[in-house]
Each structure stands twice: as structure tokens, then as C-alpha cells.
Amino acid sequence: MAEKTDEIGFGGLTLIQDDRMFCYGIDAVLLASFASRTAHRKVADLGTNNGVIPLIMSSLGGAESFCGVELQERACSLAQRNAERNGLAERIRIVHADVMSLGEIFRAGSFDCVVTNPPYMAAGTGIINAEDALTAARHETTARLSDFIGQASYLLQDRGYFYMIHRPSRIVDIAVLCRQNALEPKYIQMISPHIGEKPNLMLIECRKNGGRELKFLDPLYVYEKEGVYSEEILKIYGRSRQEETENHR
């Protein structure tokens, strides 16, 4: 393994990553922050990879427990070690399983919150990477968008929360699939790299068996200028502009 350990903030959290696998990016941070706007009790993360989303959510919110589900064995090992390294092994459980087999592991309605950062590339599209770990993280090779949404609905109790980050180009597919699975879209937030640029990511919050009303939140911009985070992103990380300036000196 070509491992490295990164300090990711959020109360001094550190993260072991394998640079031959899919390493976390701003999308994981955005999803964890978005899902932490509301207090939850039991959270499931579908496709947890190295466990970064439960780690960040454990710092931002007061959930009693997290369960990260991951198919790739190497990623599961990293996620378990990350939970242990940060003193969260009793709060974060890692399950090595295919998303499609969750009905054999969990009872319906076992969680009040499900989050997922699924592969963005639809099956049969894009360039397939020769590395299996990267392919599974980026492309719908073992489970499709419909599978992640369907399993999220199965796991959620009535009125539970579902959060996902994805590409705006899939917004119609996402909305249709969510409603078909009793997950009613409630909030959407578009994310752009810079002010004036088209959004390249979107966050969505759904409620299981929720009422039909969708609201769009103010758009979020990641960078104020090249290499400099916006005020909104700095708030997520709990940093001040002065701290950020000093870090880049």
C-alpha cells in the first residue's frame, strides 16, 4: 500500500489514505456538512470508502452511531483503522458488504439518516480506469444510482433523512428515482468551483414519506479566487480567513 496520513481538521481528525485508491475530496466535506445541519441518531453511509464522511459528521453533529458500508475490502480496512486511530471505533462501525445485500444485514427502518457519495459516472459512460478501486469509486460498476436510492429508502425509518451529493446533469434521474422510492426531495443546493461558473456538484436532502415541497438553497462557491476557499467553505472547516492566509504563507 502507498499510504499517507493527512490532517483534515474538524477537531484534529487524521485520515489514512492509499493514494492508489480513491482519495477524498471537497465533495465528501460538503456532504458531511450538509447532512449535519440536522441532528441525527443513527447514520448509515453507503459507499463509505475510507470512512471520511462518518469521521467528519462525528465532529460536526451529535449522532450516537455511524455505520459505513463499503464493498472494497482494502477500503474497509482503511475505514476501520481510521475510526480506531481517531478514537471513534465504538461510534463508527464499518461493514464490508455490497449495497445490494443490505436487506440480509439490516432490518428495514434501521436508521434515521442515510448519506451517500455514490459513483458519478453512469454505467456504460466515461473512460474506465484500469485500477479496479478507482473504477468502482467513479463508475456505476457494482451498483447503480437506482440501487443506492432504493437501499437508502429501505434502511430509513418513516420521516428519515436522505442526503446525497451528485452531478447536476443527473438531477432529473435523481428526483424521479427518489420519489419512486418514497424519498421526497426537500432541499437542493448547487455548488460551483468559482463565482460565475456553472455548478458541477449538487447536494440534495430528502425525507422519507415527506410532503411535496422542494426548496433551492443559495448556491455555494468553493473558491473565492484560485486556491483560496470562499467564506462559506472556511466556515465549514471552522477556519478564519486569517488562519487560511497564514497556512498559505
Side-chain angles (χ1 to χ4, degrees):
M1 274 192 176
E3 289 187 359
K4 60 179 181 177
T5 301
D6 297 315
E7 294 184 4
I8 62 173
F10 301 102
L13 292 173
T14 59
L15 187 73
I16 308 168
Q17 302 193 88
D18 183 341
D19 59 15
R20 295 175 299 177
M21 301 176 67
F22 193 80
C23 295
Y24 92 102
I26 191 70
D27 47 359
V29 176
L30 293 170
L31 178 58
S33 173
F34 190 69
S36 298
R37 297 176 307 139
T38 300
H40 306 292
R41 191 169 59 86
K42 296 180 67 177
V43 179
D45 177 24
L46 306 186
T48 197
N49 193 19
N50 54 30
V52 65
I53 290 175
L55 285 178
I56 296 174
M57 287 188 69
S58 74
S59 175
L60 295 177
E64 294 176 8
S65 63
F66 299 86
C67 180
V69 177
E70 175 56 48
L71 176 61
Q72 298 182 71
E73 188 172 357
R74 283 194 296 164
C76 278
S77 176
L78 287 177
Q80 186 62 51
R81 290 166 59 199
N82 281 322
E84 293 169 355
R85 180 184 181 88
N86 288 281
L88 292 165
E90 293 185 2
R91 214 170 147 201
I92 298 176
R93 173 192 176 196
I94 304 300
V95 174
H96 180 210
D98 188 330
V99 167
M100 298 305 297
S101 69
L102 298 184
E104 303 170 11
I105 303 171
F106 302 102
R107 290 183 298 179
S110 293
F111 299 89
D112 65 308
C113 173
V114 175
V115 300
T116 186
N117 180 9
Y120 295 150
M121 301 297 291
T125 65
I127 299 172
I128 301 297
N129 193 296
E131 294 288 336
D132 287 344
L134 292 175
T135 297
R138 292 171 174 156
H139 298 259
E140 295 176 353
T141 55
T142 58
R144 301 185 181 226
L145 179 61
S146 57
D147 299 324
F148 280 93
I149 292 173
Q151 292 300 303
S153 181
Y154 169 80
L155 292 174
L156 279 174
Q157 64 187 39
D158 187 47
R159 307 292 292 174
Y161 290 81
F162 173 59
Y163 301 94
M164 180 169 61
I165 189 165
H166 216 291
R167 298 295 190 195
S169 60
R170 302 294 299 277
I171 188 170
V172 175
D173 295 334
I174 290 168
V176 169
L177 289 168
C178 284
R179 180 165 282 178
Q180 287 176 347
N181 286 278
L183 300 175
E184 187 64 24
K186 304 299 290 182
Y187 293 98
I188 286 178
Q189 185 172 39
M190 294 295 180
I191 302 156
S192 300
H194 300 89
I195 294 175
E197 293 183 352
K198 294 179 180 179
N200 63 343
L201 291 170
M202 61 168 275
L203 290 158
I204 185 168
E205 174 189 311
C206 301
R207 296 288 299 277
K208 186 169 182 180
N209 297 319
R212 295 193 174 195
E213 183 181 8
L214 172 64
K215 297 179 181 179
F216 280 80
L217 301 175
D218 290 339
L220 182 65
Y221 304 98
V222 176
Y223 295 103
E224 184 176 279
K225 57 184 179 180
E226 196 62 38
V228 179
Y229 280 142
S230 67
E231 290 290 345
E232 291 82 358
I233 299 300
L234 289 178
K235 287 178 184 177
I236 291 174
Y237 278 102
R239 299 177 192 166
S240 67
R241 178 64 67 193
Q242 181 178 351
E243 289 172 328
E244 186 72 1
T245 301
E246 291 175 353
N247 288 336
H248 282 84
R249 285 178 180 172

